[in-house]
Amino acid sequence: MSKLHQDIQCLPLSVRLGFISVSLLTIYIVQLQIRFFTNDHYHKIASMSLYVIVGASMLCLVAWDQVRIPFMFMYSCFFKRIGHHGNDQQSRLESFYQDQAKIYDDSRGALLRGRKTMLKLCAAQLKEQIATGMMNKRPIWIDLGGGTGWNIETMNDSFPIDQFEQVILVDLTPSLCEVARERFANKGWKNVTVLCQDAASFQMPGLEGTLEGRVGLITVSYALSMMDYYYPVVDRIQSLLSPEGIVGVVDFYVSGRTNAPAEKWSPQQNRQCNWFTRHFWQAWFELDHINLTPGRRDYLEYKFGTIKSLNRRNHFIVPYLIQMPYYIWLGCSPARQNELSSLMEIPDDTDSVASGISNLSSFNSANSLLASRRRSSFSYQNKQWRLDYNPALACHTQFRSYIYAFTWEDPRVDLEYLNLSKDDVMFVITSAGDNALEYALQAQPKRIHCIDMNPCQNHLLELKLAGITCLEYTDFWRMFGDGNHPHFSTLLHDIISPHLSSYAFQYWSHNKDRFSYRFYKTGYSGLALSILEWWIRMQGLGKDIDAMTNATTIEEQTAIWNTKIRPAIFSPMIQKVLHNPMFMWNALGVPVNQMNMFLKECTTQEYIENTLDPIPSHSLFSNDQYFYYLCLKQRYSKNSCPSYLTKEGFEKLKSSGALQSFRLHTQSILDALRSMSDGYLTRLVVMDHMDWFDPESCQELNEEIMEMKRALQSGGQVYWRSAGTKPWYNTLFVKHGFKVEPLGIRQPGKAIDRVNMYASFYRAVKP
C-alpha cells in the first residue's frame, strides 16, 4: 500500500484530482446495479457504506501528504497496543515511538508548545552572561530527553551551535536518537553527540566525571514528566550545572489545591488550575505514563533559583475548550547570586535590606528572611533595579494595568529648582518613569528610588530601563516614540528578557499586544486619549489638529486653538463628561479628594480652561510641547518628545552608567520611607500624591511627613504639585518644622509649566 501511495504522490496534481471524477462515476454505476438487485433499505445502507469507503480511499490517495501524519499520530497515541514491558521504560518508549519517529517533529508542533520560547530565553541569557564575562564564551549544553534533536536545530537560529564547546543530546529511545544522529550528520555539526542513555546516569565515553559542575546550559523539553526516576534526574542536573549555568524547562503541569511552596518567594501569574483541569489532565496523561504530580515541579523549583517563569494554556485542537496547562521555566544554581553578594556590589544601599524586610513581613525571623530572599527570583536577575515585593498582597492585586502610560509633570521646571548633583539621593513617585529618566539624564544623581504601589507602573519603567540598556535606538523609538512595534514579542524573548525581573517579564509576555497598535492608548490614561481621538474625528478636526501640531509660530498655533479647537473642546457634552468622577479617575487619574480640592476654588470647566487656554501661547507643540502633542497624536515626534527618547539622550543614558542609580520599590510611600535610614535622602518629588488624601482623615499623611523629615538630611527638600492653590496639608509640613514656599501659583491665562495641569507647585525644606 505504501508503494502505491508513493507512486500516486509522484503524479501531477491534475492527474490525482482526476481520481475524484472517476470515483464518482464508479459510485454511480455501482448504485444502479444495487438498485436493481436489492430493496430500498439495503440500498441505502450499501450506498452509504460505498460513499464512506470510496471517500476515505480517495482522501488517502489524493491528499495522503496532508492526512498521513494526523492518522499515524492518532493511531500511535489512541489505538496501537504498547504491550506490557514491566519496569523497562526504554522498551515501552521504543514501542510507542518507533513507528512515528520519522513524523515526530511534524506531529508535535501544536501539542508541545513553548519549546521555541524556552530556547530563545535560554539563548538570550547565555548571550548576556557571556557579554558581561559571567560565563565561558563557549559553554557546554546538555539537552536531556532531546528526542529527535529538534531543540538543537532550532537553537541554532538563536545561538549558533558552533559557538558551544560541546552539545550533548541524551534520550532513552533508540529510534528517536537515530533520527537525531541523521539530522546532525546532515548539518555537519562535529561538536554534537547523541547518547542513548538514561538521563539520571548517562556518561560521556572517555569523559566520565569531567562534566560535573562544568555545564553552562541544560534544557529539558516535555521530558521531565515522562521520566520514571524523576528526582535522581533533577539531582543530576544540579551536579552537572556550573555556578553560573542555566536550566531551561518546558513541560505540562497541574497545580496543587493550594499555592505551590515556590510561590512564597516567587509568586507567579496564572499558575493555579481549577478543579477539573487538575484532575482531568493528571488522569489523562497518566494513561501514557506521563506523571504531572505537582510535587515534581515543586522539587525542581526548590533545588534551583528561578530566573524566569511563565504559566500558559495550550488550546489544542479546540480553542478555549481544551486548555492543557504548561510552563516555561528558567532556573539557575543557588550559588549564582545570593543576597550577601548582591549587597557587597551595592554597599551604600542599606535601605534595600530594610525594604526587603518590610515587603516580606510574613517571615518571623531574620534568618528566615535571608533564606527567603536568597530564593526570591529577584536575587538571580542580571539587573538589580527591582526590589523584592509580594505581588499577592491586596494593595497590588487591585491594579490590573498601569494608570499612566506617560508622565504629566514637567521635569524641566523640576530641574530648575532641584539643583541636583551627583551626590544626591532621590525619592520619586514612579508614574510612567519619564521624569525619573530625565533626572538621571540631566544630573546623574547617586541614587533614584522610584516608588509606586501599582506594580504595573514599575513594570513599565523596568521595560524602559531594559530597553535603553539592550536595544538599538530604532527599536526603542518604535516602542515608546511611535508607540508601535510589530516585533515586540521577538524583542522581548530574544533581547530584553535577561534585563527584566521575572514579574515584569510575566507581565509583558502576557500583554505583548500593547505595542501592536498604539501603546499610549493603553492603560487607564489611554481611555482619555481614545475619547479625545473619537471626539476629534466626530468633529472633523483632524486637519486642524495636524495644522496646530505642525505650526512653526506661536501666533499661528494660538489662532488655530482659539478658532477651531477650543470651541469643540469646551462643548456641553465634554463638560458633562468632565463632571463625572468615574471618568476623572479611570481616564485622567484624578481621585475624588483631588477633584474636591479644585471644586472649592472653581468649577470643573474653569479649572480645565485655566489649564488649557495658556498652553498654545506657551511653547510650540511641534518642537517643545510634547505632553499635549502626545495627547493629540497618540505618539511623539522626533522633534517633540522627552529627552530620553532623543537619539542623544538615549545614547547618553546607555553609555554613562546613569541607569545603575535606579531602585524600584513596589510599595506605599509610607512603607518605602520607613525602610530608609535616618538622613539618607536629599530630595523627594511626590508629584500630586498628597492631594489624594481626605482632609478629614489624614493620619497616614501626617505619618508620611514625619517619615520624610526623619529620612531627609538637614537641608533636604520635598517637592509637590497640587490641584489647589493653597493645599490644606501645607500646614502639616509647617507643623513638623519644614519651611514651605510656593514655586508657582497658577493664574488665569498664564502657565506655570508646559503641562499647566496643576494649580500650584511647592517646596518644603528641612531645617
Side-chain angles (χ1 to χ4, degrees), residues 4 138 147 160 208 267 313 352 545 549 603:
L4 176 61
R138 289 176 58 83
E208 286 78 0
R313 303 294 183 266
S352 297
I545 293 295
T549 54
T603 65

Side-chain angles (χ1 to χ4, degrees), residues 402 404 406-409 428-434 451-452 456-458 460-461 687:
Y402 40 85
Y404 309 103
F406 49 92
T407 302
W408 267 110
E409 287 75 13
V428 304
I429 293 178
T430 303
S431 186
D434 298 348
I451 292 83
D452 211 297
C456 305
Q457 297 291 167
N458 279 335
L460 176 55
L461 176 54
M687 298 182 174

Side-chain angles (χ1 to χ4, degrees), residues 202-271:
F202 74 92
Q203 294 291 339
M204 278 285 290
L207 295 176
E208 286 78 0
T210 60
L211 290 176
E212 306 299 313
R214 293 183 53 224
V215 180
L217 174 64
I218 300 176
T219 55
V220 196
S221 298
Y222 291 97
L224 282 177
S225 57
M226 299 182 67
M227 295 176 180
D228 290 346
Y229 302 104
Y230 171 84
Y231 298 101
V233 173
V234 175
D235 292 343
R236 182 72 194 284
I237 293 174
Q238 187 179 42
S239 69
L240 290 169
L241 198 67
S242 64
E244 72 280 2
I246 301 167
V247 184
V249 179
V250 56
D251 211 336
F252 297 117
Y253 84 99
V254 295
S255 67
R257 180 182 299 178
T258 58
N259 288 348
E263 293 194 81
K264 292 181 179 179
W265 53 80
S266 294
Q268 302 166 16
Q269 295 180 3
N270 201 34
R271 177 159 180 168

Side-chain angles (χ1 to χ4, degrees), residues 145-173:
T148 63
W150 183 92
N151 274 3
I152 295 174
E153 182 177 20
T154 303
M155 174 66 97
N156 190 56
D157 296 332
S158 301
F159 195 102
I161 298 303
D162 58 13
Q163 292 185 15
F164 287 99
E165 177 184 337
Q166 193 167 23
V167 179
I168 303 169
L169 183 151
V170 181
D171 199 278
L172 197 57
T173 311

Side-chain angles (χ1 to χ4, degrees), residues 441 468 643-654:
L441 175 62
I468 294 171
S643 298
Y644 76 92
L645 282 175
T646 64
K647 176 73 171 177
E648 296 76 15
F650 175 85
E651 295 297 343
K652 183 177 179 180
L653 285 172
K654 180 188 284 285

Side-chain angles (χ1 to χ4, degrees), residues 97 104-105 112 115 118-119 141-154 167-173 175-181 183-184 192-199 218-224 226-227:
Y97 285 118
Y104 182 89
D105 295 332
L112 307 182
R115 293 179 294 170
M118 182 271 289
L119 293 171
W141 174 23
I142 298 178
D143 189 27
L144 295 179
T148 63
W150 183 92
N151 274 3
I152 295 174
E153 182 177 20
T154 303
V167 179
I168 303 169
L169 183 151
V170 181
D171 199 278
L172 197 57
T173 311
S175 57
L176 298 183
C177 289
E178 188 58 36
V179 173
R181 291 189 182 97
R183 166 179 263 145
F184 301 147
V192 182
T193 303
V194 178
L195 300 179
C196 191
Q197 300 180 34
D198 186 273
I218 300 176
T219 55
V220 196
S221 298
Y222 291 97
L224 282 177
M226 299 182 67
M227 295 176 180

Side-chain angles (χ1 to χ4, degrees), residues 264-464:
K264 292 181 179 179
W265 53 80
S266 294
Q268 302 166 16
Q269 295 180 3
N270 201 34
R271 177 159 180 168
Q272 284 300 112
C273 303
N274 59 44
W275 180 90
F276 177 79
T277 300
R278 291 199 310 268
H279 291 85
F280 175 79
W281 289 117
Q282 189 165 353
W284 175 270
F285 281 107
E286 179 66 26
L287 297 174
D288 285 329
H289 299 274
I290 297 175
N291 193 325
L292 301 189
T293 303
R296 289 193 165 206
R297 183 178 176 185
D298 293 343
Y299 186 68
L300 180 71
E301 293 172 320
Y302 174 77
K303 298 291 283 187
F304 299 95
T306 295
I307 299 177
K308 297 288 184 293
S309 183
L310 291 175
N311 301 291
R312 292 181 171 177
R313 303 294 183 266
N314 182 355
H315 302 281
F316 184 60
I317 300 178
V318 184
Y320 303 105
L321 180 61
I322 296 179
Q323 300 186 44
M324 289 185 287
Y326 70 97
Y327 69 98
I328 302 168
W329 179 84
L330 263 65
C332 61
S333 167
R336 171 188 171 94
Q337 188 176 21
N338 55 42
E339 182 187 35
L340 294 177
S341 64
S342 175
L343 292 177
M344 287 175 64
E345 293 173 6
I346 316 169
D348 63 310
D349 264 8
T350 54
D351 56 292
S352 297
V353 180
S355 175
I357 293 174
S358 67
N359 277 305
L360 298 170
S361 57
S362 60
F363 295 92
N364 297 321
S365 67
N367 289 335
S368 63
L369 169 64
L370 292 175
S372 68
R373 282 178 60 81
R374 289 191 187 100
R375 293 192 183 280
S376 169
S377 63
F378 288 98
S379 301
Y380 303 109
Q381 303 305 317
N382 295 316
K383 301 296 182 183
Q384 295 293 321
W385 294 312
R386 196 75 174 264
L387 299 182
D388 201 355
Y389 74 100
N390 183 358
L393 296 178
C395 60
H396 302 317
T397 57
Q398 64 178 312
F399 299 104
R400 294 172 297 174
S401 179
Y402 40 85
I403 296 175
Y404 309 103
F406 49 92
T407 302
W408 267 110
E409 287 75 13
D410 188 350
R412 181 186 296 169
V413 174
D414 291 355
L415 288 165
E416 290 177 6
Y417 293 102
L418 282 167
N419 193 26
L420 294 173
S421 71
K422 293 183 182 295
D423 295 325
D424 278 307
V425 178
M426 300 190 69
F427 181 106
V428 304
I429 293 178
T430 303
S431 186
D434 298 348
N435 285 13
L437 288 168
E438 186 76 13
Y439 305 149
L441 175 62
Q442 302 299 340
Q444 298 183 30
K446 178 181 179 181
R447 185 72 70 230
I448 303 177
H449 292 278
C450 299
I451 292 83
D452 211 297
M453 183 81 78
N454 184 344
C456 305
Q457 297 291 167
N458 279 335
H459 295 335
L460 176 55
L461 176 54
E462 197 176 342
L463 181 64
K464 291 180 179 180

